């Protein structure tokens, strides 16, 4: 009997310790922030949703200093952006910390394109980084699907959405984008996190590299199908797509050409970084392994075949025959958009 009483006393002590740990956890992580009440996505088709629980875990590993979340107002709409240490992000974070902005012209165009598409237009931001464009679009009242592979960026974007009260308008996805599904390896650029890139696995040596991240890669069409399957609208919804994935844009689109044929989604504009041609070798133009010359030609043909017209970020019509040599941000607009219709090309 004495052993039984001792065992029961130890049980009570153990249960008491577990209860204390639970209360501390709830107070530390759940009482300080209210969980967003937005719809939780189910049947995501292999796409990884960065939800509130994932945010809390990532935040415990990557604390966000209070002074790192700044209110910016580049286009008359104030919203928060949580930045990195300057030594980790010498371009975007440094620019914002110094009182400037990042790609304000592209943000303004994206907002305008979304507004033209109506109140239910959607931004699909591929390579969202810390959410410069996604957070702006959400603040305008539009639905956003932001895709980003690095948790250090995802947690900052999610945190900023909580500060702005826009988290229920944003679905944040933790994936890389490629031609096919696989376990991807992201090579971090330790001085410019926005320049991190997808890299092939080399005999497992990446396992020893502290600056690599393993993340599921999915096809672009899986993101669009996720949106299509969870929309409640009976009419076709407008999608504005922004893509910046470090020269993997060719693979993303060519591996998912069917995105233009989803019945209830209309991709009106594609805003993307177009810097494939490398002229650093003099007269010889080089193209990256992720988008060789033939693949870039196929990408241009894909856009042409689906009636998209290229524009500069000044909204000047570009000559598609010169696309192989562009090194700029390009906006591909569908023939039915206001941008193309105003040119009276037909």
């Amino acid at each position: 009997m004495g052993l039984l009483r001792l065992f029961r006393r130890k049980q009570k002590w153990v249960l008491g310790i577990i209860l204390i740990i639970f209360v501390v956890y709830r107070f530390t992580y759940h009482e300080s922030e209210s969980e967003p009440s937005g719809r939780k996505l189910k049947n995501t088709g292999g796409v990884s949703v960065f939800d509130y629980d994932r945010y809390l875990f990532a935040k415990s590993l990557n604390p966000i200093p209070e002074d790192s979340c700044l209110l910016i107002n580049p286009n008359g709409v104030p919203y928060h952006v949580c930045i990195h240490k300057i030594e980790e992000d010498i371009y975007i974070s440094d620019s914002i910390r110094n009182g400037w902005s990042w790609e304000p012209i592209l943000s303004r165009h994206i907002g305008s394109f979304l507004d033209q598409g109506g109140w239910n237009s959607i931004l699909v931001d591929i390579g969202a980084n810390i959410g410069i464009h996604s957070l702006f679009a959400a603040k305008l009242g539009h639905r956003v699907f932001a895709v980003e592979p690095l948790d250090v960026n995802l947690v900052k974007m999610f945190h900023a959405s909580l500060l702005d009260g826009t988290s229920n308008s944003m679905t944040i996805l933790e994936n890389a984008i490629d031609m096919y599904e696989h376990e991807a390896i992201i090579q971090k650029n330790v001085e410019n996190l926005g320049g991190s890139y997808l890299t092939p696995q080399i005999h497992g040596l990446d396992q020893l590299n502290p600056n690599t991240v393993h993340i599921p890669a999915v096809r672009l069409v899986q993101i669009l199908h996720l949106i299509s399957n969870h929309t409640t609208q009976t009419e076709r919804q407008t999608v504005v797509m922004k893509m910046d994935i470090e020269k993997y844009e060719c693979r993303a689109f060519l591996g998912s050409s069917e995105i233009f044929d989803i019945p209830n989604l209309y991709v009106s504009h594609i805003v993307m970084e177009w810097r494939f041609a490398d002229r650093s070798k003099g007269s010889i133009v080089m193209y990256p392994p992720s988008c060789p010359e033939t693949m870039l030609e196929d990408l241009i043909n894909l856009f042409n075949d689906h009636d998209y017209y290229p524009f500069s970020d000044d909204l000047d019509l570009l000559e598609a025959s010169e696309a192989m040599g562009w090194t700029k941000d390009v906006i591909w607009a569908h023939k039915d958009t206001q941008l193309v219709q105003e040119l009276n090309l037909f």
Side-chain angles (χ1 to χ4, degrees), residues 25 30 33-42 44 47-59 146 148 151 154-159 161-162 167-168 170-175:
Y25 171 80
H30 288 266
E33 295 165 323
S34 58
E35 181 171 359
S37 58
R39 179 180 57 186
K40 291 185 179 294
L41 298 182
K42 298 180 180 180
T44 58
V47 177
S48 303
V49 178
F50 191 87
D51 59 13
Y52 188 71
D53 289 335
R54 181 76 180 91
Y55 155 72
L56 291 177
F57 178 73
K59 186 183 174 190
E148 167 60 37
D151 61 351
L154 291 160
V155 68
K156 291 181 183 297
M157 179 167 30
F158 200 114
H159 191 77
S161 75
L162 292 175
S167 59
N168 291 332
M170 296 182 65
T171 299
I172 300 177
L173 306 173
E174 189 174 10
N175 288 101

Side-chain angles (χ1 to χ4, degrees), residues 66-81:
E66 290 184 10
D67 64 351
S68 69
C69 296
L70 307 177
L71 190 66
I72 65 174
N73 186 8
N75 289 300
V77 179
Y79 64 100
H80 285 90
V81 174

Side-chain angles (χ1 to χ4, degrees), residues 59-97:
K59 186 183 174 190
S60 70
L61 300 177
N62 304 283
I64 302 174
E66 290 184 10
D67 64 351
S68 69
C69 296
L70 307 177
L71 190 66
I72 65 174
N73 186 8
N75 289 300
V77 179
Y79 64 100
H80 285 90
V81 174
C82 298
I83 63 175
H84 294 287
K85 297 176 182 177
I86 304 305
E87 59 269 23
E88 297 174 348
D89 187 18
I90 59 176
Y91 294 115
I92 299 176
S93 295
D94 186 43
S95 177
I96 293 172
R97 174 68 76 185

